[in-house]
C-alpha cells in the first residue's frame, strides 16, 4: 500500500479562507499536548503563552516591537513568493542591512546631525538589497537555485557580523566585549508612545504593508507579479520579463529586510553585537504563509507570531520550560498551515499493490 496525493477538480474557497484559523486551532491543541507531556497543566500553560501577554501594556509594546521586523520581512517575502522566486535568505539580508546602516553611527560616531538617522535607514535598505542581489544575479544569469544560494548567504552574513564586532568595529570602551560603540541619541529610532518602547519601526512595517498591498491590488506591477507567479509562459505572452521580475522581487525583499535590520538595531539594541536576531528572517516565512501572502494578512500574522515570542518568554519564567518551546510552536504552526493548504488542493488516496488497472486507463496506455 502506498499513499498518493490526487489533485482535487476544484479547491474549496471556504476552506481556503478558514485554513489559517484551522491551522491555529490545531497548533494550540498540539501545544497543549506538548505541555501535558512535559508535566505541565495545558490550560494554565496556554493561558500564560497566548492570553497573559495581552493583559499587560508592557507586553503589548513588546509584541509590537517584535512584530515590526516580522511584518517588514514577511511583506517582502510575499512579493517574492507570489512571483515564484523563493528567497529563503531574509535573515542574512536583515543582518547585512543592520551592518550597512550602522556604518554612520559606528564609523562616523563623532558626527552629530539630524541626517544621521535617515542615512542609516537608507544605508540599511541598500545593504539588504545589495545582499539580495547576489542570489538574484545567480538566478537571472546562471539559473542557480535561489533557495540554496540565499540560504547559504545567511551563514556568511552571521559570521561577517561576528567578525566585525570582534574585530574592526569592537568598541574600545566595552572592556573587550564583542560589541560596537553605543549609538548616539540622534541615531536611535524615537518611540511613538509614552507608555512603552514601541518605536517608528512598527510604523514603517504598517506603511510598507499598505503600500505593497496597494501595489499588488491596483497597479500593473502587481498584476505582472501575479501572472508570472502563476505561469511564466503566460507572462511572456503578455510581454512580461521573468528575468526583470527576479531582480525586482529579490531587491524589494532585501530592501525591506535590510530596513527591518537597521530598525531593530537602532530602535531596540542601540549597537551591534554578535547576535541581533532571534531568527526573524526565518520566522517571517511562517508569517508570509500564515498571512496568505497578502500584505494586510501579514500584519495580523506578524502580530500573532510576535505573541509567540513574548508568550514563550513568559512560560519560561512561570513554568520553567525550555526556550525552545517558542520554536516548537512556530514549527507546528508552519507544519499545519502547509498541511491544510495541501489538503485544500489535494486529496489523499490509498493505492494497494496488485489492484486491477481500470479499463479506461489500460486503453490509454
Amino acid at each position: 500500500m502506498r499513499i498518493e496525493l490526487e489533485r482535487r477538480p476544484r479547491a474549496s474557497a471556504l476552506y481556503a479562507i478558514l485554513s489559517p484559523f484551522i491551522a491555529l486551532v490545531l497548533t494550540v491543541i498540539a501545544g497543549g499536548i506538548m505541555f501535558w507531556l512535559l508535566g505541565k497543566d495545558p490550560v494554565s500553560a496556554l493561558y500564560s503563552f497566548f492570553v497573559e501577554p495581552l493583559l499587560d501594556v508592557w507586553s503589548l509594546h513588546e509584541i509590537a516591537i517584535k512584530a515590526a521586523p516580522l511584518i517588514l520581512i514577511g511583506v517582502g517575502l510575499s512579493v517574492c513568493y507570489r512571483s515564484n522566486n523563493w528567497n529563503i535568505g531574509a535573515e542574512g539580508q536583515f543582518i547585512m542591512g543592520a551592518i550597512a546602516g550602522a556604518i554612520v553611527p559606528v564609523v562616523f560616531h563623532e558626527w552629530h546631525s539630524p541626517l544621521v538617522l535617515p542615512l542609516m535607514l537608507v544605508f540599511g535598505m541598500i545593504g539588504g538589497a545589495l545582499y539580495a542581489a547576489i542570489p538574484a544575479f545567480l538566478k537571472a544569469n546562471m539559473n542557480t537555485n535561489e533557495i540554496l544560494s540565499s540560504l547559504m548567504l545567511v551563514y556568511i552574513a552571521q559570521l561577517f557580523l561576528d567578525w566585525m564586532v570582534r574585530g574592526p568595529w569592537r568598541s574600545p570602551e566595552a572592556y573587550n566585549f564583542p560589541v560596537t560603540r553605543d549609538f548616539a541619541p540622534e541615531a536611535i529610532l524615537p518611540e511613538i508612545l509614552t507608555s512603552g518602547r514601541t518605536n517608528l519601526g512598527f510604523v514603517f512595517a504598517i506603511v510598507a504593508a499598505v503600500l505593497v498591498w496597494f501595489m499588488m491590488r491596483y497597479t500593473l506591477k502587481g498584476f505582472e507579479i501575479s501572472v508570472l507567479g502563476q505561469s511564466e509562459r503566460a507572462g511572456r505572452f503578455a510581454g512580461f520579463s521573468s528575468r526583470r521580475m527576479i531582480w525586482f522581487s529579490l531587491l524589494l525583499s532585501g530592501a525591506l529586510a535590510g530596513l527591518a535590520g537597521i530598525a531593530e538595531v537602532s530602535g531596540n539594541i542601540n549597537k551591534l553585537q554578535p547576535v541581533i536576531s532571534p531568527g526573524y528572517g526565518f520566522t517571517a516565512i511562517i508569517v508570509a504563509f500564515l498571512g496568505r501572502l497578502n500584505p494586510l494578512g501579514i500584519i495580523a500574522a506578524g502580530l500573532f507570531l510576535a505573541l509567540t515570542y513574548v508568550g514563550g518568554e513568559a512560560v519560561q519564567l512561570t513554568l520553567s520550560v525550555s526556550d525552545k518551546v517558542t520554536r516548537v510552536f512556530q514549527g507546528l504552526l508552519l507544519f499545519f498551515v502547509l498541511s491544510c493548504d495541501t489538503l485544500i488542493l489535494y486529496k489523499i488516496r490509498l493505492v494497494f499493490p496488485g489492484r486491477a488497472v481500470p479499463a479506461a486507463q489500460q486503453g490509454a496506455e
Side-chain angles (χ1 to χ4, degrees), residues 96-163:
M96 294 305 290
I99 294 173
I103 291 174
V104 178
V106 174
V107 178
F108 304 99
H109 59 92
E110 295 181 353
W111 182 44
H112 302 281
S113 168
L115 295 176
V116 169
L117 188 57
L119 282 176
M120 289 170 59
L121 299 176
V122 171
F123 282 12
M125 295 181 70
I126 293 173
L130 289 177
Y131 207 59
I134 299 173
F137 173 82
L138 292 174
K139 181 176 182 180
N141 294 278
M142 304 176 187
N143 200 28
T144 304
N145 188 306
E146 74 277 16
I147 296 175
L148 296 176
S149 60
S150 62
L151 179 60
M152 289 188 290
L153 285 167
V154 172
Y155 304 105
I156 296 174
Q158 291 172 339
L159 293 172
F160 182 69
L161 171 63
D162 188 85
W163 174 74

Side-chain angles (χ1 to χ4, degrees), residues 124-313:
M125 295 181 70
I126 293 173
L130 289 177
Y131 207 59
I134 299 173
F137 173 82
L138 292 174
K139 181 176 182 180
N141 294 278
M142 304 176 187
N143 200 28
T144 304
N145 188 306
E146 74 277 16
I147 296 175
L148 296 176
S149 60
S150 62
L151 179 60
M152 289 188 290
L153 285 167
V154 172
Y155 304 105
I156 296 174
Q158 291 172 339
L159 293 172
F160 182 69
L161 171 63
D162 188 85
W163 174 74
M164 289 294 288
V165 298
R166 294 179 190 276
W169 280 8
R170 182 161 57 185
S171 172
E173 304 167 356
Y175 301 100
N176 215 33
F177 284 96
V179 294
T180 64
R181 296 176 183 272
D182 290 339
F183 290 179
E186 59 271 7
I188 296 176
L189 278 178
E191 297 172 354
I192 59 176
L193 295 172
T194 57
S195 57
R197 298 196 309 132
T198 306
N199 55 58
L200 279 177
F202 187 71
V203 177
F204 296 157
I206 301 301
V207 171
V210 172
L211 291 178
V212 172
W213 171 82
F214 182 86
M215 178 191 73
M216 295 298 301
R217 188 172 179 86
Y218 294 110
T219 69
L220 178 61
K221 180 59 70 173
F223 178 70
E224 180 182 349
I225 291 169
S226 299
V227 171
L228 285 171
Q230 296 178 36
S231 173
E232 184 178 339
R233 186 166 179 265
R236 287 201 303 269
F237 277 114
F240 300 144
S241 169
S242 59
R243 188 171 182 272
R244 285 198 298 268
M245 182 52 63
I246 292 170
W247 282 100
F248 174 80
S249 61
L250 283 166
L251 289 180
L252 176 62
S253 178
L256 290 178
L259 177 60
I262 188 56
E264 174 70 12
V265 170
S266 172
N268 304 316
I269 305 175
N270 304 144
K271 58 179 173 286
L272 284 181
Q273 56 192 29
V275 178
I276 60 173
S277 167
Y280 287 136
F282 296 116
T283 306
I285 298 172
I286 306 175
V287 171
F289 282 105
L290 184 62
R292 315 301 289 169
L293 302 183
N294 182 310
L296 299 185
I298 286 171
I299 295 176
L303 289 168
F304 179 80
L305 266 295
L307 174 62
T308 66
Y309 278 114
V310 178
E313 294 170 358

